[in-house]
Amino acid sequence: MRLPLGVLLMVAAALAGPLPREGPEVPFQFKHHDNKEMLDLLQQVHKRCPGITRVYNLSETSVRGVPLSVIEFSTHPGLHKLREPEFKYIANMHGNEVLGRELLLKLAHYLCEQYLSGDQSIQKLVNLTRIHLMPSMNPDGWQLATETGAKDYLTGRTNNRSVDLNRNFPDLDRIMFSNEEHHIEHNNHLLKQLDRLTEPMQPETMAVMKMIMSTPFVLSANMHGGDLVANYPYDASRSGSMSEYTTSPDDQTFKHLALAYSENHATMSNPKRSGCGYDGYNFGKQKGITNGAAWYSVQGGMQDFNYLSSNDFEITLELGCDKYPKAEELEKEWENNKDALLHYIWQAHIGVKGVVRDAKTRRPISNAFIHVRNLTDGCEKNCDINHDITSVHGGDYWRLLTPGVYEITASAEGYEPVTQQAAVTLTPESEAQKLDFWLGQPEFDEPVSGFDPKLYRNILKWVQKKN
């Protein structure tokens, strides 16, 4: 039978998610917001959209005491929702590279206003994704760059202790490459192997590290300036060379992610545009993307730290030749980047996602390993993608993958591994395919010390055959 129009509208509203309460309208001006104006604007956006936003500060302040603030967009601010991916943008890591800072302020304003106006695409994005925007990781550097005229290529790059924050993260590439060399299979969450730091850790670095470790991010990007290109892992070269293409196990996926931004940017992938830098090279000839180490090797960078310490896939966005563009250019830069900013967030939904549970108790299993073999095109050897991700506290996981056929195995201590095949497709602006795992305990789930149940079963089969 036909349902009344009123009932249909109620169902549609329920599926779309609740509309937030509306606060006072927030005017937005394209300008260089100072540190106080930046924090004030985040609070204004929150007051405008209190039902879908939260403003929070990281655990540490900058060296000079400026809060490191983040605005979150979600239909359940402050809470992780089962199977919902977490995404982050971080800008202004180098204080004199400011475009990303202004883009994220405008993006926060845009998401709020478009959600309120009934934009179905934005509502769907916010309803399905928990989005974290951090306009400035280095407000002290921004202050110095601005006070000195914003024209020097290096002034303000570092924090207030003259430390480059993008060289200050633990060097997990060194550990990963050593594991490869010594045939050690440990290929993820490498912080437990860290044995030394190359320099004291800065408060801004520590704050972001705690953020990464406490939130199950799936995808992120950090924003820089000085060129126009999407840069993907690895950032550090495997051999120690200053410049050498250094593949990660997820090279194919990272290329897809970088292209997702560059090809939706107004000019980044244009092979005929002007280049940047002293040599004027145009990365548009490479579709606007580059492997980080192939460009130049970086140790202690945030991009590779995300990938090797957590489940988070991160790329680096160089947003333009001019590190500190004029205020009158900001609106044009927003138009250049808007589609790419939104499209890239949607990439948190590619591949597969699911929940790993105990088959008997139905309880979620955290820290289960998700291992993938790529069977696309009939792969017979070297099919393993040697970068496992893990399920989080609710048992949920997300594995970013490009279209293809995969064999996916979930395993956890005390359980028999389970393997399933998945044919991954790519549907724009849609959730990742769901693939849940139910793990059962082995027959001998409480072995005595030194007793291997699998070996015992094999011996028992051999004895039975002999008899």
Side-chain angles (χ1 to χ4, degrees):
M1 68 176 184
R2 287 190 174 183
L3 292 173
L5 178 60
V7 174
L8 291 173
L9 290 174
M10 289 173 63
V11 172
L15 291 174
L19 282 173
R21 304 185 307 275
E22 292 187 29
E25 188 171 350
V26 180
F28 186 87
Q29 181 182 358
F30 285 101
K31 55 173 282 188
H32 289 292
H33 296 79
D34 65 29
N35 287 332
K36 182 180 183 304
E37 291 170 332
M38 173 181 66
L39 300 179
D40 287 346
L41 182 57
L42 296 182
Q43 290 294 345
Q44 290 167 16
V45 171
H46 168 58
K47 290 177 182 178
R48 172 71 165 160
C49 290
I52 58 164
T53 63
R54 176 178 71 113
V55 176
Y56 65 96
N57 296 330
L58 300 193
S59 59
E60 322 293 322
T61 66
S62 73
V63 172
R64 295 179 65 178
V66 180
L68 302 177
S69 295
V70 181
I71 187 167
E72 169 196 336
F73 284 82
S74 170
T75 54
H76 38 88
L79 298 173
H80 173 73
K81 185 177 178 181
L82 196 71
R83 290 194 180 94
E84 186 167 295
E86 308 255 2
F87 176 93
K88 74 177 187 299
Y89 276 132
I90 293 181
N92 202 207
M93 184 182 199
H94 291 147
N96 63 334
E97 299 170 11
V98 305
L99 179 55
R101 171 181 170 125
E102 298 305 324
L103 290 179
L104 292 191
L105 290 176
K106 177 56 185 176
L107 179 60
H109 178 267
Y110 181 83
L111 290 174
C112 172
E113 293 299 327
Q114 294 302 112
Y115 198 103
L116 291 178
S117 71
D119 184 320
Q120 293 184 3
S121 178
I122 296 300
Q123 288 182 349
K124 185 177 182 182
L125 180 62
V126 172
N127 292 345
L128 294 177
T129 322
R130 191 175 176 211
I131 303 166
H132 305 252
L133 308 179
M134 183 178 178
S136 182
M137 183 178 169
N138 187 4
D140 297 351
W142 180 92
Q143 192 71 41
L144 178 61
T146 303
E147 290 175 349
T148 55
K151 293 182 180 179
D152 187 88
Y153 201 75
L154 292 176
T155 301
R157 175 184 176 90
T158 61
N159 76 343
N160 206 53
R161 293 177 182 156
S162 301
V163 175
D164 187 332
L165 299 178
N166 205 33
R167 307 294 186 276
N168 191 234
F169 283 79
D171 184 4
L172 301 185
D173 295 277
R174 170 182 59 84
I175 296 173
M176 183 68 247
F177 300 153
S178 176
N179 287 352
E180 292 175 349
E181 184 178 353
H182 293 92
H183 305 288
I184 298 172
E185 293 185 359
H186 191 200
N187 59 31
N188 62 89
H189 297 76
L190 299 179
L191 263 181
K192 64 184 70 174
Q193 287 186 260
L194 185 67
D195 55 4
R196 69 178 187 272
L197 295 173
T198 56
E199 62 181 359
M201 196 167 295
Q202 299 303 299
E204 298 92 344
T205 309
M206 180 62 72
V208 171
M209 282 182 59
K210 289 179 180 178
M211 179 192 191
I212 294 167
M213 294 295 101
S214 62
T215 306
F217 291 110
V218 176
L219 180 65
S220 60
N222 69 85
M223 298 175 164
H224 292 256
D227 217 306
L228 188 59
V229 64
N231 174 111
Y232 58 90
Y234 286 128
D235 252 348
S237 67
R238 194 171 264 106
S239 70
S241 170
M242 291 297 293
S243 176
E244 169 190 82
Y245 196 113
T246 305
T247 60
S248 73
D250 287 286
D251 194 60
Q252 179 175 311
T253 299
F254 275 119
K255 286 179 182 177
H256 167 87
L257 294 171
L259 286 169
Y261 198 94
S262 71
E263 293 185 338
N264 285 277
H265 184 281
T267 61
M268 189 178 285
S269 63
N270 183 354
K272 296 182 180 180
R273 65 171 171 83
S274 299
C276 303
Y278 65 91
D279 60 356
Y281 181 72
N282 172 17
F283 280 104
K285 297 175 182 178
Q286 300 174 198
K287 298 183 179 180
I289 68 173
T290 185
N291 173 262
W295 187 9
Y296 62 92
S297 183
V298 170
Q299 286 77 40
M302 183 166 70
Q303 171 185 270
D304 288 6
F305 177 82
N306 274 277
Y307 180 59
L308 294 174
S309 71
S310 72
N311 292 330
D312 188 13
F313 284 43
E314 175 158 300
I315 67 171
T316 301
L317 299 172
E318 299 281 348
L319 296 172
C321 303
D322 192 348
K323 292 189 173 189
Y324 205 120
K326 297 176 182 178
E328 53 266 32
E329 298 172 0
L330 295 177
E331 185 170 6
K332 176 63 176 176
E333 288 295 347
W334 163 250
E335 294 301 328
N336 287 344
N337 284 275
K338 180 180 71 173
D339 291 346
L341 287 166
L342 297 171
H343 185 70
Y344 185 74
I345 298 174
W346 274 113
Q347 304 315 297
H349 296 276
I350 66 172
V352 297
K353 66 178 181 179
V355 180
V356 184
R357 298 184 187 274
D358 184 303
K360 184 176 181 180
T361 67
R362 305 181 71 84
R363 291 176 180 173
I365 301 173
S366 60
N367 295 315
F369 289 98
I370 306 298
H371 180 76
V372 178
R373 299 183 73 239
N374 189 348
L375 305 182
T376 308
D377 300 325
C379 177
E380 295 181 357
K381 61 180 181 178
N382 299 323
C383 307
D384 293 86
I385 300 177
N386 289 316
H387 180 82
D388 299 341
I389 57 98
T390 58
S391 60
V392 299
H393 53 272
D396 43 344
Y397 77 91
W398 305 261
R399 188 45 167 107
L400 302 184
L401 295 167
T402 55
V405 179
Y406 299 91
E407 184 180 88
I408 303 174
T409 300
S411 61
E413 185 176 355
Y415 294 89
E416 294 282 6
V418 173
T419 299
Q420 301 184 63
Q421 277 198 14
V424 174
T425 57
L426 186 60
T427 304
E429 299 191 6
S430 296
E431 293 185 73
Q433 294 168 228
K434 292 185 176 67
L435 188 67
D436 293 338
F437 287 89
W438 299 84
L439 303 190
Q441 296 182 354
E443 184 178 347
F444 301 92
D445 55 354
E446 295 183 2
V448 297
S449 177
F451 177 67
D452 185 342
K454 186 175 181 180
L455 177 60
Y456 173 80
R457 285 194 293 268
N458 289 338
I459 293 173
L460 186 61
K461 290 178 182 177
W462 181 81
V463 171
Q464 289 173 340
K465 286 182 179 178
K466 291 294 182 182
N467 292 336

